[in-house]
Amino acid sequence: MQALNFTTPPPFDAGAEALRQDVREFLAVEMHDRTPHQRASSWSGNDTGFSRKMGERGWIGMAWPKRYGGHERTALERYVVLEEMLAAGAPVGHHWVADRQSGPSILRHGTEAQRQQILPRIAAGECSFCIGMSEPDSGSDLAAARTRAQRVQGGWLVRGTKVWTSGAHRADYMILFCRTGAKTDPKSGGDRHAGASQFLVDMNLARGGGMTVRPIIDMRGAHHFNEVAIEDLLLPDDALLGQEGDGWNQVTAELAFERSGPDRFLSAFTLLVETVRALGPAAPERAAVALGRLTSHILALRCLSRSVAGMLQSGEDPALQAALVKDLGNTLEQETVEVVRLLVDVEPSEEDDGPPLAAVLAHLVMTAPSFSLRGGTREIMRGIIARGLGLR
Amino acid sequence: MSDQLADSAERLFAANTGKAVVRAAEDGTFPQALWDAVTEAGFTAALLPEHAGGYGATITEAMALLQIAAAHAAPIPLAETMLAGWLLAQAGLAVPKGVLTLAPVRLRDALSLRRAGDCWRLTGIASRIPWARDAAAIVVLAERPDGPAIALLHPDGVTLDHGRNLAGEPRDTITNDAILADDAVAPAPFGPAQLRAAGAAVRTVQIAGALSRALSLSVQYAQIRVQFGRPIGKFQAIQQNLAILAGQAAAAIAAADMAADALAHGLDPLLVGAAKARAGEAASIAAGLAHQAHGAIGFTQEYELHFATRRLWSWRDEFGNEAEWNGVVGRAVLTAGPDGLWPALTAA
């Protein structure tokens, strides 16, 4: 077994620290009237104005080539912006998926025209994406997807259903994963990953024209998820992203991109902040020990996450390391909720007239189960880790 | 660290450690050949500035050597000699050759120095001193009327009671009543809190090494042990457990990085505390999972897993356990307050 390799993260240089101060100054102004409850939404919070402002400052598409609207900054500099945004609970949701994975996917697999058409708009904070992967009968088992795109005159005719599609009701684009070729049976020696492709779907055209988006309300009463019914949606030829039939490889790369980012362990940070506020400096020893433990975990995760960012910057493919960070990160986020609730004398409640901590706690209690499901379930992450260890 | 240095360290420890050496050490035979090899390779001097006998290694490189030693369960006071030399050099005292160790290591032990003519009299009990019985000199931190001092103590000046930790490493109690010459004493580069932090930092690095060994033994075992017609590593339950173990190994690697960083930049208690606490927690989870993966064979003296797990169980408790250090971190966090929390974490 190879030793787990996490190269020591490079230190933040003066440029990165100056950037950090810039971001903090920006946030001090933009976030000053955001309530803790609003901040608790973390990267699920949507604000088109905020995203545009970030785009104006060059904080989206930071590592992309300038000719596509990017800024050719390093992965570590990008990391500074991401973690400052997440720690503040900034509403980065509008551009988050696009910046994190859709844009990099287009950069890697897209045609020159697709890159020119879309990437500058993402970098400007004016283009949002949703992820068309999961279906009613295929979640973790993505290869079981049945949505199909059939070659027709002038393009592709798509039929099928996607589900749990966050933001499909307002996204500008979807990257759709579907079948374009024969699905070969592994029992007869075929590859069940073959015959899938990805498409760039213009959602502003698709919604109401072959695609019906129905909200799925979550148990908190919030609308993020959707069911997307696709019935004879015609996509133009140039909607194909990458190679026909290469969808599986493309999607695997896309999924790996930000498994290791700070969004994988800072989702509950607002809760930690509000708990520190509520307890105050004279809190009892047991509270100090419990908060110290959560902090120790955050610091260790930040070190690992930065290490992976550095490895990605060096052109490595740290799939094992990224899965490890996500697994540890989700666990910490969920533990934060369970630890903190026993330190404070507050009933979780999102009722308007309650104390901020009550609302933040209620929000986190009711969203925490999703942390180890979204972006790859805990069980799948551990399977990926086991594979990386050489066990499967 | 350069791959070359890491490879040569791996080779050195692979050639000079192994079950027989570790067992013999536990039975009371100091591993002289291993110690000589390590000394000759310069590892014991890795934390020293060049003018004091070092060779220009960074703290990160020195800690990487220590981590490799720990992964091989090298039963030698490498950490202690490195750290003791480092302290002496900072205090401007000459670093003697041979085995060095430090005192005190327990939170409630305190040694004191009082003027005795034109010499100093050192008194006090320091318990569980690593390898005191084998030391050429013991570097002590003691309280003088005008503040903490560092002194070089020769073993003839102490009464020694032998002891061992769970890992079978020598942990001897020294009762002091010694006279030290003026030139053997100097103002300390730092006080008891930082000494404890420095000890915690090296133990963190050692935990990372032993944990990586526990992981690799467990993965190897899962690949070769066959039950129900296949290697046990093919079962999801085993895979998931080993994935959790790998997560703790990763956390320990991060903790070791943090510890090295802390050693290089003034031993910030928030950073050291987070590192030691996280490593201790990782050690605890990992030791349990490693034994679980091995079944009964892992529980035997013959099989080598216990060389790693007993070290994990010992080192997690030395220089402060998780409760102590998480308390330090937590109090720093509460003091920083809600708006100071994130800046404090990014500055650590």
Side-chain angles (χ1 to χ4, degrees):
Chain A
M1 187 203 94
Q2 276 179 329
L4 287 182
N5 183 33
F6 278 93
T7 32
T8 304
F12 291 114
D13 59 23
E17 287 310 314
L19 174 59
R20 189 187 298 283
Q21 289 316 310
D22 285 345
V23 176
R24 286 184 182 175
E25 280 166 25
F26 170 80
L27 287 169
V29 171
E30 296 297 324
M31 297 287 293
H32 84 274
D33 58 354
R34 295 254 164 195
T35 66
H37 192 195
Q38 288 169 316
R39 294 172 191 253
S41 294
S42 190
W43 50 279
S44 297
N46 232 281
D47 185 328
T48 52
F50 189 91
S51 290
R52 191 170 305 119
K53 285 179 185 172
M54 278 190 64
E56 282 163 10
R57 277 156 187 77
W59 292 339
I60 303 175
M62 285 177 71
W64 304 345
K66 285 182 180 167
R67 68 184 182 280
Y68 301 128
H71 305 280
E72 297 176 4
R73 310 288 294 262
T74 66
L76 270 313
E77 288 173 313
R78 175 168 179 265
Y79 193 92
V80 168
V81 174
L82 295 185
E83 66 173 356
E84 289 297 321
M85 290 290 158
L86 291 167
V92 293
H94 180 70
H95 67 267
W96 194 256
V97 164
D99 182 50
R100 182 182 68 188
Q101 66 195 78
S102 315
S105 219
I106 293 167
L107 196 56
R108 195 182 271 208
H109 305 295
T111 62
E112 189 59 19
Q114 287 168 336
R115 293 172 187 165
Q116 291 291 354
Q117 237 274 65
I118 295 172
L119 296 180
R121 289 158 57 203
I122 297 175
E126 289 175 354
C127 184
S128 62
F129 270 71
C130 62
I131 303 168
M133 288 187 194
S134 291
E135 299 183 358
D137 290 333
S138 113
S140 290
D141 188 10
L142 182 57
R146 292 208 296 253
T147 299
R148 174 165 285 283
Q150 191 189 318
R151 204 79 187 73
V152 295
Q153 179 86 340
W156 302 83
L157 197 64
V158 186
R159 289 187 189 110
T161 312
K162 292 293 179 186
V163 78
W164 317 129
T165 326
S166 299
H169 53 299
R170 55 183 165 210
D172 297 300
Y173 286 92
M174 170 193 286
I175 296 189
L176 172 72
F177 176 87
C178 61
R179 301 240 135 255
T180 45
K183 184 178 172 184
T184 44
D185 183 351
K187 292 193 204 106
S188 58
D191 171 14
R192 67 193 298 270
H193 297 153
S197 303
Q198 289 189 300
F199 290 89
L200 283 168
V201 179
D202 184 328
M203 296 293 279
N204 294 306
L205 294 177
R207 277 185 297 253
M211 177 188 280
T212 309
V213 178
R214 293 185 200 100
I216 297 174
I217 306 300
D218 72 21
M219 61 185 190
R220 268 186 66 241
H223 175 206
H224 296 289
F225 288 151
N226 296 279
E227 181 196 66
V228 180
I230 306 171
E231 205 172 317
D232 289 343
L233 175 69
L234 183 63
L235 298 177
D237 269 324
D238 63 4
L240 180 67
L241 176 64
Q243 302 305 312
E244 184 189 338
D246 204 32
W248 181 259
N249 293 329
Q250 291 177 192
V251 102
T252 308
E254 184 185 334
L255 288 171
F257 271 126
E258 284 296 333
R259 280 212 165 116
S260 60
D263 49 334
R264 299 310 184 185
F265 63 91
L266 285 177
S267 307
F269 192 73
T270 298
L271 179 58
L272 194 61
V273 169
E274 293 311 310
T275 302
V276 168
R277 189 189 315 277
L279 286 171
E285 181 69 7
R286 75 178 181 93
V289 173
L291 290 177
R293 178 176 167 271
L294 295 174
T295 304
S296 302
H297 279 248
I298 289 175
L299 286 172
L301 271 161
R302 185 167 176 258
C303 183
L304 291 173
S305 182
R306 282 172 49 217
S307 170
V308 176
M311 290 164 83
L312 286 167
Q313 173 82 23
S314 307
E316 295 176 57
D317 184 21
L320 165 62
Q321 290 82 350
L324 281 164
V325 173
K326 183 174 190 296
D327 189 31
L328 287 169
N330 298 160
T331 303
L332 171 66
E333 292 173 334
Q334 291 171 333
E335 271 199 66
T336 299
V337 178
E338 299 307 316
V339 165
V340 146
R341 64 167 279 264
L342 295 174
L343 301 178
V344 295
D345 184 18
V346 149
E347 180 191 335
S349 167
E350 291 190 273
E351 285 160 5
D352 279 334
D353 52 0
L357 178 58
V360 172
L361 188 56
H363 182 111
L364 266 306
V365 167
M366 301 272 270
T367 51
S370 69
F371 299 162
S372 54
L373 297 171
R374 62 187 182 186
T377 66
R378 167 174 291 137
E379 290 73 15
I380 294 293
M381 289 303 103
R382 290 178 178 175
I384 292 172
I385 294 164
R387 183 172 296 117
L389 293 173
L391 293 168
R392 17 178 331 153
Chain B
M1 171 157 80
S2 75
D3 286 340
Q4 208 179 7
L5 185 53
D7 285 345
S8 76
E10 283 285 352
R11 276 197 303 275
L12 185 150
F13 286 108
N16 291 285
T17 334
K19 280 196 266 186
V21 170
V22 185
R23 230 169 248 143
E26 280 194 51
D27 291 338
T29 309
F30 185 81
Q32 196 63 47
L34 170 61
W35 183 254
D36 290 343
V38 159
T39 305
E40 202 178 298
F43 295 173
T44 49
L47 278 180
L48 298 179
E50 287 186 72
H51 66 79
Y55 56 93
T58 64
I59 292 189
T60 299
E61 287 171 331
M63 291 303 99
L65 292 173
L66 187 58
Q67 193 169 325
I68 294 171
H72 287 266
I76 48 170
L78 179 58
E80 290 79 5
T81 301
M82 278 185 176
L83 210 51
W86 188 61
L87 285 175
L88 288 171
Q90 283 184 67
L93 293 172
V95 181
K97 301 257 177 284
V99 171
L100 301 175
T101 190
L102 329 123
V105 303
R106 298 296 286 272
L107 193 56
R108 265 160 265 291
D109 287 348
L111 302 175
S112 58
L113 278 166
R114 291 280 178 276
R115 236 2 179 157
D118 55 359
C119 292
W120 293 93
R121 185 164 173 227
L122 176 73
T123 54
I125 297 175
S127 45
R128 313 301 283 174
I129 305 306
W131 283 273
R133 72 188 75 169
D134 298 306
I138 302 171
V139 175
V140 304
L141 193 73
E143 197 61 28
R144 282 200 293 204
D146 62 345
I150 191 168
L152 205 50
L153 177 66
H154 284 275
D156 342 331
V158 309
T159 310
L160 211 62
D161 282 303
H162 285 194
R164 288 186 185 273
N165 64 11
L166 289 182
E169 299 177 308
R171 293 295 186 264
D172 305 323
T173 294
I174 60 176
T175 305
N176 301 289
D177 193 352
I179 299 296
L180 304 173
D182 230 5
D183 63 2
V185 181
F190 46 62
Q194 287 102 327
L195 177 63
R196 193 162 181 72
V202 297
R203 287 293 184 262
T204 299
V205 170
Q206 290 174 281
I207 286 172
L211 215 168
S212 75
R213 181 71 176 141
L215 173 64
S216 67
L217 282 172
S218 301
V219 169
Q220 248 171 262
Y221 186 75
Q223 289 169 323
I224 61 178
R225 171 66 174 173
V226 173
Q227 288 286 270
F228 307 106
R230 72 205 80 168
I232 61 170
K234 294 296 181 195
F235 290 95
Q236 267 198 359
I238 308 281
Q239 288 175 359
Q240 298 271 306
N241 273 347
L242 293 179
I244 297 169
L245 207 178
Q248 299 308 312
I253 290 170
D257 266 345
M258 289 156 59
D261 195 14
L263 264 172
H265 297 107
L267 289 165
D268 172 16
L270 174 63
L271 190 57
V272 172
K276 181 60 167 51
R278 188 63 189 90
E281 183 175 332
S284 306
I285 296 168
L289 287 172
H291 276 288
Q292 191 65 23
H294 277 85
I297 199 113
F299 206 65
T300 67
Q301 189 164 87
E302 175 62 30
Y303 186 80
E304 59 199 297
L305 178 61
H306 69 91
F307 291 130
T309 53
R310 287 189 300 135
R311 278 168 174 73
L312 292 174
W313 291 324
S314 295
W315 294 338
R316 67 183 177 175
D317 283 337
E318 292 182 351
F319 294 106
N321 65 15
E322 296 88 280
E324 176 182 328
W325 284 112
N326 279 325
V328 168
V329 174
R331 279 189 295 278
V333 158
L334 289 165
T335 302
D339 299 327
L341 174 56
W342 181 247
L345 297 186
T346 53

